[in-house]
mmCIF file of all heavy atoms in Angstrom:
data_model
loop_
_atom_site.group_PDB
_atom_site.id
_atom_site.type_symbol
_atom_site.label_atom_id
_atom_site.label_comp_id
_atom_site.label_asym_id
_atom_site.label_seq_id
_atom_site.Cartn_x
_atom_site.Cartn_y
_atom_site.Cartn_z
ATOM 1 N N PRO A 89 71.969 -171.789 -10.667
ATOM 2 C CA PRO A 89 71.074 -172.531 -9.774
ATOM 3 C C PRO A 89 71.807 -173.382 -8.737
ATOM 4 O O PRO A 89 71.364 -173.482 -7.591
ATOM 5 C CB PRO A 89 70.252 -173.400 -10.740
ATOM 6 C CG PRO A 89 70.214 -172.589 -11.991
ATOM 7 C CD PRO A 89 71.580 -171.950 -12.074
ATOM 8 N N ALA A 90 72.940 -173.960 -9.099
ATOM 9 C CA ALA A 90 73.675 -174.814 -8.161
ATOM 10 C C ALA A 90 74.241 -174.032 -6.982
ATOM 11 O O ALA A 90 74.573 -174.621 -5.952
ATOM 12 C CB ALA A 90 74.807 -175.534 -8.887
ATOM 13 N N ASN A 91 74.349 -172.703 -7.104
ATOM 14 C CA ASN A 91 74.907 -171.894 -6.027
ATOM 15 C C ASN A 91 73.842 -171.145 -5.235
ATOM 16 O O ASN A 91 74.141 -170.189 -4.529
ATOM 17 C CB ASN A 91 75.955 -170.924 -6.575
ATOM 18 C CG ASN A 91 77.197 -171.664 -6.999
ATOM 19 O OD1 ASN A 91 77.440 -172.790 -6.587
ATOM 20 N ND2 ASN A 91 77.994 -171.036 -7.837
ATOM 21 N N ILE A 92 72.597 -171.595 -5.379
ATOM 22 C CA ILE A 92 71.511 -171.097 -4.542
ATOM 23 C C ILE A 92 70.982 -172.303 -3.784
ATOM 24 O O ILE A 92 70.377 -173.203 -4.363
ATOM 25 C CB ILE A 92 70.401 -170.422 -5.371
ATOM 26 C CG1 ILE A 92 70.978 -169.262 -6.186
ATOM 27 C CG2 ILE A 92 69.274 -169.946 -4.447
ATOM 28 C CD1 ILE A 92 70.003 -168.642 -7.162
ATOM 29 N N LEU A 93 71.273 -172.333 -2.498
ATOM 30 C CA LEU A 93 70.881 -173.467 -1.658
ATOM 31 C C LEU A 93 69.584 -173.144 -0.927
ATOM 32 O O LEU A 93 69.211 -171.978 -0.786
ATOM 33 C CB LEU A 93 71.993 -173.793 -0.656
ATOM 34 C CG LEU A 93 73.339 -174.158 -1.269
ATOM 35 C CD1 LEU A 93 74.343 -174.509 -0.175
ATOM 36 C CD2 LEU A 93 73.203 -175.298 -2.268
ATOM 37 N N THR A 94 68.908 -174.196 -0.470
ATOM 38 C CA THR A 94 67.656 -174.018 0.258
ATOM 39 C C THR A 94 67.763 -174.680 1.622
ATOM 40 O O THR A 94 68.414 -175.712 1.781
ATOM 41 C CB THR A 94 66.476 -174.625 -0.519
ATOM 42 O OG1 THR A 94 66.745 -176.000 -0.794
ATOM 43 C CG2 THR A 94 66.241 -173.875 -1.821
ATOM 44 N N THR A 95 67.133 -174.047 2.586
ATOM 45 C CA THR A 95 67.075 -174.611 3.936
ATOM 46 C C THR A 95 65.938 -173.943 4.691
ATOM 47 O O THR A 95 65.775 -172.713 4.595
ATOM 48 C CB THR A 95 68.424 -174.454 4.681
ATOM 49 O OG1 THR A 95 68.390 -175.228 5.870
ATOM 50 C CG2 THR A 95 68.761 -173.021 4.992
ATOM 51 N N GLY A 96 65.136 -174.735 5.359
ATOM 52 C CA GLY A 96 64.032 -174.185 6.140
ATOM 53 C C GLY A 96 63.072 -173.325 5.341
ATOM 54 O O GLY A 96 62.544 -172.347 5.851
ATOM 55 N N GLY A 97 62.879 -173.637 4.055
ATOM 56 C CA GLY A 97 61.963 -172.881 3.215
ATOM 57 C C GLY A 97 62.536 -171.587 2.661
ATOM 58 O O GLY A 97 61.829 -170.817 2.024
ATOM 59 N N ALA A 98 63.823 -171.348 2.897
ATOM 60 C CA ALA A 98 64.460 -170.122 2.400
ATOM 61 C C ALA A 98 65.568 -170.485 1.412
ATOM 62 O O ALA A 98 66.151 -171.565 1.484
ATOM 63 C CB ALA A 98 65.047 -169.323 3.560
ATOM 64 N N ALA A 99 65.848 -169.569 0.507
ATOM 65 C CA ALA A 99 66.968 -169.729 -0.433
ATOM 66 C C ALA A 99 68.107 -168.839 0.024
ATOM 67 O O ALA A 99 67.882 -167.736 0.547
ATOM 68 C CB ALA A 99 66.532 -169.345 -1.842
ATOM 69 N N LYS A 100 69.345 -169.344 -0.174
ATOM 70 C CA LYS A 100 70.532 -168.604 0.249
ATOM 71 C C LYS A 100 71.615 -168.730 -0.808
ATOM 72 O O LYS A 100 71.843 -169.811 -1.345
ATOM 73 C CB LYS A 100 71.071 -169.158 1.567
ATOM 74 C CG LYS A 100 70.100 -169.023 2.722
ATOM 75 C CD LYS A 100 70.722 -169.517 4.005
ATOM 76 C CE LYS A 100 69.783 -169.275 5.172
ATOM 77 N NZ LYS A 100 70.518 -169.161 6.424
ATOM 78 N N LEU A 101 72.305 -167.625 -1.083
ATOM 79 C CA LEU A 101 73.446 -167.669 -1.997
ATOM 80 C C LEU A 101 74.581 -168.426 -1.337
ATOM 81 O O LEU A 101 74.826 -168.282 -0.139
ATOM 82 C CB LEU A 101 73.922 -166.263 -2.344
ATOM 83 C CG LEU A 101 72.972 -165.376 -3.132
ATOM 84 C CD1 LEU A 101 73.648 -164.043 -3.449
ATOM 85 C CD2 LEU A 101 72.534 -166.046 -4.412
ATOM 86 N N SER A 102 75.286 -169.202 -2.136
ATOM 87 C CA SER A 102 76.400 -169.992 -1.608
ATOM 88 C C SER A 102 77.541 -170.012 -2.613
ATOM 89 O O SER A 102 77.504 -169.329 -3.629
ATOM 90 C CB SER A 102 75.938 -171.421 -1.321
ATOM 91 O OG SER A 102 75.676 -172.089 -2.542
ATOM 92 N N ASP A 103 78.509 -170.850 -2.329
ATOM 93 C CA ASP A 103 79.711 -171.056 -3.148
ATOM 94 C C ASP A 103 80.482 -169.755 -3.301
ATOM 95 O O ASP A 103 80.342 -169.026 -4.276
ATOM 96 C CB ASP A 103 79.383 -171.638 -4.517
ATOM 97 C CG ASP A 103 80.652 -172.137 -5.219
ATOM 98 O OD1 ASP A 103 81.768 -171.817 -4.761
ATOM 99 O OD2 ASP A 103 80.529 -172.837 -6.231
ATOM 100 N N PHE A 104 81.309 -169.508 -2.321
ATOM 101 C CA PHE A 104 82.028 -168.244 -2.246
ATOM 102 C C PHE A 104 83.448 -168.321 -2.765
ATOM 103 O O PHE A 104 84.260 -167.444 -2.491
ATOM 104 C CB PHE A 104 82.016 -167.742 -0.806
ATOM 105 C CG PHE A 104 80.621 -167.610 -0.274
ATOM 106 C CD1 PHE A 104 80.124 -168.535 0.624
ATOM 107 C CD2 PHE A 104 79.796 -166.595 -0.710
ATOM 108 C CE1 PHE A 104 78.827 -168.431 1.096
ATOM 109 C CE2 PHE A 104 78.499 -166.484 -0.244
ATOM 110 C CZ PHE A 104 78.019 -167.399 0.659
ATOM 111 N N GLY A 105 83.758 -169.344 -3.535
ATOM 112 C CA GLY A 105 85.110 -169.493 -4.052
ATOM 113 C C GLY A 105 85.549 -168.355 -4.949
ATOM 114 O O GLY A 105 86.739 -168.080 -5.073
#
Side-chain angles (χ1 to χ4, degrees):
N91 289 341
I92 302 173
L93 300 182
T94 56
T95 191
K100 297 183 176 206
L101 295 183
S102 69
D103 193 347
F104 304 105

